[in-house]
Structure formats: C-alpha cells, structure tokens
Amino acid sequence: MKRKGILIVVSGFSGAGKGTLVKKLIEEYEGYALSISATTRQPRPGEEDGREYFFLQKEQFERKIAENGLIEYACYCENYYGTPREYVEQQLADGKDVILEIEIQGALKIKKQYEDALLLFVMPPSAEELRRRLEGRGTETKEVIDKRMRRAAEEAEGIEAYDYIVINDDLDICVRQLHEIITAAHNTPERNKEFIENIRTELEGEK
Ligand code: ADP
Ligand code: 5GP
C-alpha cells in the first residue's frame, strides 16, 4: 500500500528556529518536501529568489491570488506571504510529507481545507532566548525585532489550535522529536482508513 503524504504546518514565533529546524529535518531524513512560499517582502542578505522564497511584486502576488494559485495566503508585518498550490498538490500525490513553514493565520486556513493536516508550533525555551536569537541572527533592525516580539505575544494566544508544540532548546533533540511526532502521526486511524477497511473486509470471512 502506498504511504500517503501528510501536509505538515510548522509555525512559531519569528526567531524560534523554524527555518533552522526544518532545514536539518530535511537533510537528515527522507520523504520530506519543503514548500517554497511567495512573498512581497524584500530578500534578506544571502536569500535567493526561488530558494528561500519566490520574491514577488505586490501586483504579481495579487495576480496569483486571483488565479487561485495559492492554497493560502496572509499578511504578516505589512507583507504578503502565500503557499503556491501546484507544488504542494504534486508532492502530496507523490507520497511526500510536505512542510509549510507558515504563520498562524495561514495555518488555520490550511486546517479548514485539509482536515488531515498536522499542525506543529515551534517554541523557544523562553522569551528572553527568543529575543537573543532574533538579535543574534542579525538580519533585522531593532525596530523590526521589537515588532516581531509584539507579534509573538499576539501569536502566543493561538497556540491551542495546533496539534503539538515542539520546544527548540537543543537543536538536535528538537529535530529528532519533530520527526518522531510526524512518524507517529502516520499511524493514527484517521490517516489509515483504507488500510483498516481492507483488513475489516478480509476479516469478514472469519465470522
Ligand atoms: P525562524 O525561522 O523561526 O525565524 P531561524 O531558524 O532563522 O528562526 O533561527 C533564528 C536564530 O536562532 C538563527 O540565528 C539560528 O541560528 C538560531 N537558532 C535556531 N535554533 C537554535 C537553537 N536550538 N539553539 C540556539 N540557536 C538557535
Ligand atoms: P520571514 O519574513 O521571517 O521569512 O517570515 C515571516 C513569517 O511569515 C513567518 O512566521 C513565516 O512562517 C511566515 N510565512 C512564510 N511563508 C508563508 C506563507 O506562505 N504563508 C503564510 N501564511 N505565512 C508564511
């Protein structure tokens, strides 16, 4: 029986370590595909179009929305971010676990459309450590960091919508934990309806 891919949403406060974690997960384990989002924000130094994001002008992004080319999109700190539809649908059909690294508004939209989606929320060990990581990354100004910390306080209100939290303290432990949660999720009855039905049918003959 072909394994069905799970649509996995990884959210978490900016600076919690989502990008770092997901990169390592994909390097260390097979069967994952990472969706590359479209955004209207400016590339950070070192970011490349088509690798971290597809960097679009506002008009190009709005055309994608109109064409139904995104499975979800949201506005985050005054920029658009969205998930291109085609890649996700292809990879899921191919049996891959597709990872969307997206914020909470997008996560909730995904849960409505894909009831099987697995929603994971990455947390730092403390708020102090979160600020330290944002500062240490060195990619944002003090003003943007303050804005992201305020945004984190708002996002913290929505964590109960997620299936699991993962605390990113030690990176290696956290990557392993992430993979274990996903592995376990493959074995829920809801995600194995066909297999269960087949066994039931076979067992009919034993009655
Ligand atoms: P996000 O994608 O959630 O915004 P990043 O992956 O960019 O966060 O990580 C933010 C910063 O924290 C980066 O400088 C990264 O190297 C660092 N970082 C990530 N995970 C850990 C960890 N477990 N321990 C210490 N630093 C970490
Ligand atoms: P950053 O600018 O730090 O790369 O991302 C800002 C926020 O946007 C992060 O929380 C990130 O997870 C989220 N994000 C990235 N891509 C998408 C997307 O396609 N859709 C949604 N809804 N959020 C996204």
Side-chain angles (χ1 to χ4, degrees):
M1 195 183 64
K2 197 176 169 202
R3 188 177 112 137
K4 259 174 100 179
I6 301 180
L7 188 55
I8 300 161
V9 171
V10 177
S11 300
F13 314 132
S14 179
K18 301 177 295 293
T20 310
L21 268 173
V22 163
K23 185 164 174 276
K24 219 165 154 45
L25 180 76
I26 288 170
E27 278 168 10
E28 290 189 5
Y29 299 95
E30 297 205 342
Y32 291 110
L34 176 63
S35 158
I36 300 172
S37 296
T39 184
T40 57
R41 87 148 159 73
Q42 291 300 310
R44 293 186 188 126
E47 285 184 337
E48 262 180 44
D49 186 42
R51 192 179 66 191
E52 281 80 12
Y53 283 103
F54 296 107
F55 294 100
L56 305 183
Q57 299 299 319
K58 190 160 176 262
E59 299 68 40
Q60 293 174 301
F61 197 101
E62 285 171 346
R63 202 172 322 131
K64 283 245 174 240
I65 299 173
E67 288 166 352
N68 198 25
L70 302 173
I71 56 175
E72 63 74 38
Y73 69 93
C75 216
Y76 177 92
C77 295
E78 288 132 42
N79 284 301
Y80 276 134
Y81 292 82
T83 305
R85 181 181 300 280
E86 197 177 331
Y87 178 82
V88 169
E89 292 185 346
Q90 268 173 7
Q91 296 294 317
L92 283 177
D94 201 27
K96 294 274 172 52
D97 289 337
V98 180
I99 301 184
L100 311 183
E101 206 197 301
I102 66 177
E103 52 66 69
I104 191 161
Q105 306 167 58
L108 299 178
K109 289 182 200 158
I110 291 292
K111 191 73 193 177
K112 276 204 183 134
Q113 290 175 68
Y114 300 82
E115 58 172 17
D116 256 12
L118 179 65
L119 270 55
L120 309 177
F121 197 94
V122 178
M123 311 209 28
S126 67
E128 193 190 349
E129 172 65 12
L130 181 64
R131 183 176 282 279
R132 208 167 21 241
R133 286 185 190 171
L134 278 172
E135 287 169 356
R137 189 166 68 185
T139 48
E140 275 96 3
T141 59
K142 164 100 175 49
E143 195 193 344
V144 172
I145 291 176
D146 286 344
K147 200 193 254 177
R148 289 187 173 217
M149 288 299 289
R150 280 198 296 278
R151 177 73 193 218
E154 287 166 24
E155 287 185 339
E157 298 292 319
I159 297 175
E160 281 83 356
Y162 287 76
D163 296 307
Y164 293 93
I165 61 163
V166 262
I167 300 169
N168 180 19
D169 192 353
D170 179 280
L171 184 65
D172 290 329
I173 293 176
C174 193
V175 170
R176 200 177 331 128
Q177 205 181 60
L178 203 58
H179 180 67
E180 283 167 1
I181 291 171
I182 297 164
T183 305
H186 273 282
N187 291 337
T188 59
E190 300 78 52
R191 294 192 181 88
N192 292 278
K193 284 183 186 143
E194 201 183 321
F195 176 74
I196 294 169
E197 275 315 310
N198 286 344
I199 298 270
R200 281 193 179 133
T201 308
E202 285 173 28
L203 287 172
E204 276 295 305
E206 302 292 332
K207 274 188 183 165

